[in-house]
Amino acid sequence: MTNIEARLRFDGALPGDPQVEAWFAERAGALGLIARTWFDRMRGCGEDVVDLVHDGCPVACVEDVPFAYVNAFTRHVNVGFFRGAFLPDPSALLQGTGKRMRHVKLFPGTDVDADALGVLIKVAYREAAEFVAAER
């Protein structure tokens, strides 16, 4: 699934970045809990996952290659994917029309297909990890 085009890269990602923890500390309540739940799933994909805050939201990376992020808005949370346009999405969860990025909107009190979203996260992680490994 690896596309040979140039990749977006972010310097400074760390395991358990304190800035990410500060971001979550400022977002108590339902939206913060939703965002934390899905970001923890991203972090749990592998021991090589590191994170940072970029453009005001937590981003999960493999080394310097971002694969997913969360962001909390007034009424919803986005779980986004930097290469979401290339992810298989049989449950049609992904929204957006950008060239590369896609996201899933989550609302408090509304069910989401957690298994399908979990698969999107795993596939995005695996694709980033394979890209990083191929560069070595």
Side-chain angles (χ1 to χ4, degrees):
M1 178 199 257
T2 299
N3 188 325
I4 27 182
E5 70 182 54
R7 289 291 183 111
L8 181 64
R9 298 198 119 122
F10 298 144
D11 290 329
L14 307 166
D17 186 330
Q19 291 183 15
V20 170
E21 294 310 314
W23 188 94
F24 282 110
E26 294 174 6
R27 284 154 185 87
L31 295 174
L33 181 59
I34 292 168
R36 168 68 82 176
T37 297
W38 291 103
F39 200 74
D40 285 349
R41 292 278 293 267
M42 294 169 197
R43 281 178 165 168
C45 285
E47 292 181 10
D48 54 350
V49 175
V50 290
D51 48 74
L52 65 129
V53 172
H54 178 78
D55 282 345
C57 62
V59 175
C61 303
V62 176
E63 292 185 9
D64 62 348
V65 176
F67 67 92
Y69 67 90
V70 296
N71 204 357
F73 296 91
T74 305
R75 293 190 175 103
H76 73 280
V77 169
N78 279 359
V79 175
F81 301 92
F82 287 88
R83 293 178 46 83
F86 307 105
L87 294 177
D89 183 23
S91 297
L93 295 178
L94 293 170
Q95 298 179 26
T97 58
K99 189 174 181 180
R100 292 176 185 84
M101 295 181 74
R102 297 285 188 276
H103 62 274
V104 177
K105 285 187 180 181
L106 305 175
F107 296 88
T110 303
D111 289 336
V112 64
D113 185 339
D115 291 336
L117 182 51
V119 168
L120 287 171
I121 291 169
K122 287 179 188 174
V123 171
Y125 160 75
R126 187 171 39 244
E127 195 268 343
E130 288 171 359
F131 178 83
V132 167
E135 283 193 322
R136 292 189 177 128

